[in-house]
Amino acid sequence: MSLAQSVSKPSRWVGAIATVAALVALTACGSSTTSSDDAEKVVVYSGRSEELVAPLLDQFTADTGIEVEARYAGSGEMAAQLITEGDKSPADVFLSQDAGALGAVSKAGLLAPVDAATLEAVPAQYAAADGTWVGVSGRARVVVFNPTLVPTPPDTIDGLLAPEWKGKIGFAPSNASWQAFVTGLRVVRGEEGAEQWLRAFKAQDPKPYENNVAVRDAVDAGQVPLGLVNHYYLYELIDAKGADAVTAQNKFMAAGDPGGLVNVAGVGILKAAPNPQGAQRFASYLVGESAQKYFAQETEEYPLAAGVAPSAQMPPLSQLQPPAVDLSQLDDIETTQELLVKTGLLTN
């Protein structure tokens, strides 16, 4: 299965808010009353694709008896809609593809504290410092490479700037995970340091693709030697085609390198949730054993709760040494997009 992480054109938070403004009146009217039937229903605004999470939501209903009404769009679009709707939103839960979108909704003051037991189920670095969201699965940024073209790929972002890689790197400029990496780079190196690296990367003539799947497939086909993606895209291809039919490999980044950011998909509960108890049960379920095994086995992501092992194809999360980035600081996507436009890596 593939994750709906990318969009065909870049968008900013403000722009996304404008695109959903027309929906607000209808949504607000629909949320003004709550029937008795709604007591056992949770409304989920999902930034994760229906293909990816619908089976998990169905399992939640089977296990708890709580029905789920899910609305799907990109995480940025869903965050913008929640911010526009404010306390008139019918949503109980925001299930986001990345920490940045959760942080934006939290910064707007729209998220309630997650139950302490749910927060304690995952390591503290994978939840909001103020307890308003909790990570449910993790993913690492990697270099995917074609070993027939590149026997020894670089494992640092500065290594990608070496002359031999000019014109040989694929990336997805409008992809949320790439933009989260750039936001993390701003946190680690500061605005000036991030801009300096981005300008040097632009000078390498990297090859833009629509999304991570396209980058991965181009690398596997030998159309470009290297690509910057999330780790699980390779394993999805292996699951689909078989290991013998896949050429590409992953290179995990060196300890502490900004390119090895471990980001999370996560869940937040709306302060104005019509069904706050059901929303808390939903969040708790996602860090429970059943859901964590689903992420490990079905989506090839890293489970975050203790006691659930990742896919045997991947190094354990404990072996990775990602950069020291507070994921709550990934909420400033608009500034990141402005920097990418400024450096010529993203078009308006």
Side-chain angles (χ1 to χ4, degrees):
M1 290 180 246
S2 60
L3 304 184
Q5 286 185 282
S6 61
V7 293
S8 58
K9 296 182 180 179
S11 60
R12 303 184 184 184
W13 291 113
V14 174
I17 290 172
T19 66
V20 301
L23 301 175
V24 174
L26 289 175
T27 308
C29 290
S31 64
S32 58
T33 60
T34 302
S35 71
S36 59
D37 292 340
D38 290 340
E40 288 305 318
K41 179 181 76 174
V42 171
V43 177
V44 176
Y45 277 23
S46 177
R48 313 211 72 182
S49 72
E50 183 172 5
E51 179 186 15
L52 178 72
V53 301
L56 180 59
L57 303 189
D58 290 342
Q59 188 61 47
F60 168 76
T61 297
D63 290 345
T64 66
I66 301 174
E67 296 293 330
V68 174
E69 179 184 326
R71 306 182 185 187
Y72 297 95
S75 291
E77 182 181 350
M78 278 303 186
Q81 182 164 342
L82 286 165
I83 291 169
T84 302
E85 292 173 346
D87 62 5
K88 303 299 184 182
S89 177
D92 294 298
V93 169
F94 178 31
L95 177 58
S96 175
Q97 177 66 27
D98 69 280
L102 284 163
V105 177
S106 179
K107 183 184 287 186
L110 298 177
L111 296 184
V114 176
D115 283 348
T118 302
L119 292 170
E120 291 168 2
V122 306
Q125 66 265 37
Y126 301 127
D130 63 0
T132 54
W133 58 261
V134 62
V136 298
S137 64
R139 58 190 181 275
R141 295 289 291 173
V142 299
V143 173
V144 63
F145 69 101
N146 189 310
T148 66
L149 302 175
V150 183
T152 308
D155 64 356
T156 67
I157 60 170
D158 293 328
L160 293 169
L161 305 180
E164 62 261 37
W165 307 124
K166 187 167 186 177
K168 298 180 179 180
I169 307 169
F171 80 122
S174 64
N175 181 263
S177 59
W178 158 261
Q179 294 182 12
F181 149 67
V182 175
T183 307
L185 181 64
R186 291 171 48 222
V187 172
V188 173
R189 295 191 176 179
E191 301 298 332
E192 183 177 342
E195 181 173 344
Q196 182 180 13
W197 186 86
L198 289 169
R199 291 192 181 280
F201 183 70
K202 170 65 174 176
Q204 288 290 76
D205 189 26
K207 305 303 180 186
Y209 291 86
E210 182 178 0
N211 53 43
N212 283 334
V213 170
V215 174
R216 175 204 66 192
D217 290 348
V219 171
D220 189 59
Q223 297 167 4
V224 64
L226 306 172
L228 300 175
V229 298
N230 291 333
H231 77 273
Y232 52 79
Y233 284 96
L234 174 66
Y235 304 125
E236 288 178 351
L237 188 64
I238 291 172
D239 288 346
K241 297 176 64 175
D244 292 343
V246 176
T247 301
Q249 298 178 17
N250 276 345
K251 181 68 173 182
F252 285 80
M253 307 301 278
D257 189 80
L261 178 71
V262 174
N263 200 350
V264 298
V267 62
I269 296 166
L270 279 300
K271 282 183 178 179
N275 185 1
Q277 293 81 14
Q280 292 285 359
R281 287 190 69 184
F282 182 81
S284 176
Y285 186 86
L286 292 188
V287 298
E289 183 177 9
S290 179
Q292 291 292 291
K293 285 184 176 179
Y294 179 88
F295 292 127
Q297 298 168 5
E298 300 298 327
T299 71
E300 305 286 358
E301 295 173 277
Y302 280 103
L304 299 180
V308 179
S311 167
Q313 302 180 92
M314 313 176 340
L317 188 57
S318 60
Q319 290 185 10
L320 304 183
Q321 299 182 56
V325 173
D326 179 352
L327 296 181
S328 296
Q329 294 179 280
L330 299 182
D331 58 4
D332 190 9
I333 302 299
E334 184 174 1
T335 301
T336 289
Q337 291 175 337
E338 290 171 350
L339 179 59
L340 289 169
V341 170
K342 179 182 178 182
T343 55
L345 290 166
L346 190 65
T347 58
N348 282 309

